[in-house]
Amino acid sequence: MDWNDATLWWLAAGALVALELATGTFYLLMLALGAAAGALAAHAGLTGITQAVTAAVVGVAATMIWHLRRARGPKPAAADANRDVNLDIGESVQVAQWNADGSARAHYRGAEWSVRFAGSGTPVPGAFVIVALHGSELRVAPAGASR
């Protein structure tokens, strides 16, 4: 079987996409774009060196653009306060009584939980929203303040 340059570039692009799916590294998709550019250069009849340079330039440029885009974007919340990591963040909890140190016990999801006040001022009994989870302790803020 005789494979031409374009076929090899397409196989490389496919392998990079498969590797990205296995690892979750989005940068590999940018390199796959470079390999696809190399394949298109091969279809255009350019030399092997020109194909490689085209693939390298497109792959590196796409990677740099993606990196700069991510660096300028908003930073994700810390894992203990990120709703994408912990679905309890943003849920409501009722606190009946606070201790002097800002801690309490509250019934949440069918169990008693340790609760710590994360807002400003002195906590008063009532409705609160979970803003973070530290181990098995819920960090809460007043319901109207964090939504």
Side-chain angles (χ1 to χ4, degrees):
M1 181 192 251
D2 187 28
W3 290 0
N4 61 19
D5 289 345
T7 302
L8 296 174
W9 282 112
W10 287 121
L11 287 172
L16 286 166
V17 169
L19 190 59
E20 188 281 331
L21 290 172
T23 63
T25 307
F26 197 79
Y27 291 105
L28 290 174
L29 287 180
M30 301 300 104
L31 296 179
L33 283 176
L40 294 175
H43 284 297
L46 300 177
T47 66
I49 296 294
T50 307
Q51 294 169 26
V53 168
T54 301
V57 168
V58 171
V60 169
T63 302
M64 288 175 58
I65 290 168
W66 181 253
H67 179 74
L68 292 174
R69 182 172 181 247
R70 285 195 60 212
R72 290 186 180 148
K75 302 290 183 224
D80 64 346
N82 189 338
R83 178 134 173 101
D84 293 336
V85 175
N86 190 328
L87 294 178
D88 291 320
I89 306 300
E91 295 297 317
S92 298
V93 64
Q94 289 285 357
V95 179
Q97 179 181 345
W98 287 97
N99 299 325
D101 65 352
S103 67
R105 299 288 292 171
H107 192 73
Y108 174 67
R109 286 195 298 143
E112 284 291 314
W113 288 72
S114 294
V115 177
R116 181 151 312 269
F117 186 63
S120 59
T122 305
V124 295
F128 291 84
V129 175
I130 301 169
V131 295
L133 193 71
H134 289 255
S136 62
E137 182 180 72
L138 302 174
R139 299 288 169 101
V140 298
S146 64
R147 283 202 181 200

